[in-house]
């Protein structure tokens, strides 16, 4: 017996429409997801990807059970909800959470340079400017450098960044203990 729900649509058709619509919305979210920016930070349960993935899993399993089995629609709906919940939790735990914590920014701030050790690549003359190369986990940063005491610092010498002023770093020689 085929059960009809809304507007004389069969349950299979309803599952199929939900699958198609939520699939299209996930694709749109993939391309235009930045518009919804901070929703997932506000609450992890309001994450649009998880909500749409739940609907996709629910409608896909519901449609397959309706077409391939002779079960009644109510047990199929309950089984589909359980399957969708399990898959959504697995998606969140094993894919979304690791991806969000793996996001690493290559951007640095001027203040984050303070206290770092670098190597002089262009010598700093007395009361003049040179260049320092600072290595970090995100790559190499080359900055204009000035000596703290106005003294000359030779090429290849290790220096400690003391301060950052107007996009140049104030350095002093670094003595390892």
């Amino acid at each position: 017996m085929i059960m009809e729900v809304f507007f004389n649509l069969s349950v299979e058709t309803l599952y199929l429409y939900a699958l198609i619509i939520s699939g299209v919305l996930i694709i749109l979210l993939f391309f235009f997801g930045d518009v919804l920016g901070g929703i997932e930070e506000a609450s992890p349960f309001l994450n649009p990807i998880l909500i749409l993935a739940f609907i996709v899993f629910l409608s896909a399993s519901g449609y397959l059970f309706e077409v391939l089995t002779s079960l009644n629609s109510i047990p199929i709906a309950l089984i589909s909800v359980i399957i969708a919940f399990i898959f959504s939790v697995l998606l969140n735990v094993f894919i979304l959470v690791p991806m969000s914590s793996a996001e690493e920014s290559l951007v640095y701030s001027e203040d984050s340079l303070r206290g770092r050790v670098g190597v002089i690549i262009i010598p700093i003359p007395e009361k003049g400017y040179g260049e320092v190369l600072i290595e970090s986990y995100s790559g190499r940063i080359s900055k204009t450098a000035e000596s703290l005491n106005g003294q000359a610092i030779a090429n290849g010498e290790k220096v400690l960044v003391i301060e950052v002023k107007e996009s140049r770093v104030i350095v002093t020689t670094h003595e390892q203990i």
Side-chain angles (χ1 to χ4, degrees):
M1 178 171 99
I2 296 177
M3 186 174 175
E4 294 183 0
V5 183
F6 299 108
F7 305 109
N8 293 330
L9 291 176
S10 67
V11 176
E12 295 135 0
T13 308
L14 189 64
Y15 280 133
L16 190 59
Y17 285 167
L19 179 62
I20 292 169
I21 291 170
S22 57
V24 168
L25 288 175
I26 282 183
I27 292 171
L28 289 175
L29 186 64
F30 177 75
F31 288 114
F32 304 110
D34 291 340
V35 174
L36 300 175
I39 289 179
E40 54 267 358
E41 280 98 29
S43 172
F45 300 110
L46 291 179
N47 189 335
I49 292 178
L50 278 179
I51 294 170
L52 289 173
F54 179 84
I55 295 170
V56 165
F57 295 139
L58 174 76
S59 57
S61 61
Y63 179 75
L64 288 174
F65 279 120
E66 286 286 344
V67 170
L68 299 175
T69 66
S70 61
L71 289 174
N72 196 353
S73 293
I74 294 175
I76 288 176
L78 292 175
I79 293 170
S80 296
V81 166
I82 293 169
I83 289 172
F85 180 75
I86 291 170
F87 282 161
S88 295
V89 168
L90 292 174
L91 173 73
N92 190 33
V93 170
F94 292 114
I95 295 176
L96 296 179
V97 170
M99 281 178 59
S100 67
S101 64
E103 187 173 311
E104 188 174 294
S105 176
L106 298 178
V107 178
Y108 68 94
S109 68
E110 301 261 324
D111 290 334
S112 71
L113 296 177
R114 230 179 298 139
R116 289 199 183 173
V117 176
V119 177
I120 297 295
I121 56 174
I122 296 179
I124 302 174
E126 273 189 40
K127 297 183 183 177
Y129 300 101
E131 194 166 335
V132 65
L133 182 68
I134 303 167
E135 298 216 17
S136 68
Y137 59 89
S138 61
R140 296 177 175 179
I141 303 163
S142 176
K143 298 293 280 184
T144 302
E146 177 183 355
S147 175
L148 178 66
N149 301 327
Q151 299 173 339
I153 301 177
N155 188 23
E157 206 156 325
K158 286 194 174 196
V159 292
L160 178 67
V161 176
I162 303 297
E163 191 177 350
V164 181
K165 282 187 180 176
E166 301 169 2
S167 76
R168 69 181 190 279
V169 293
I170 313 296
V171 297
T172 187
T173 56
H174 182 259
E175 298 173 12
Q176 293 182 345
I177 299 175

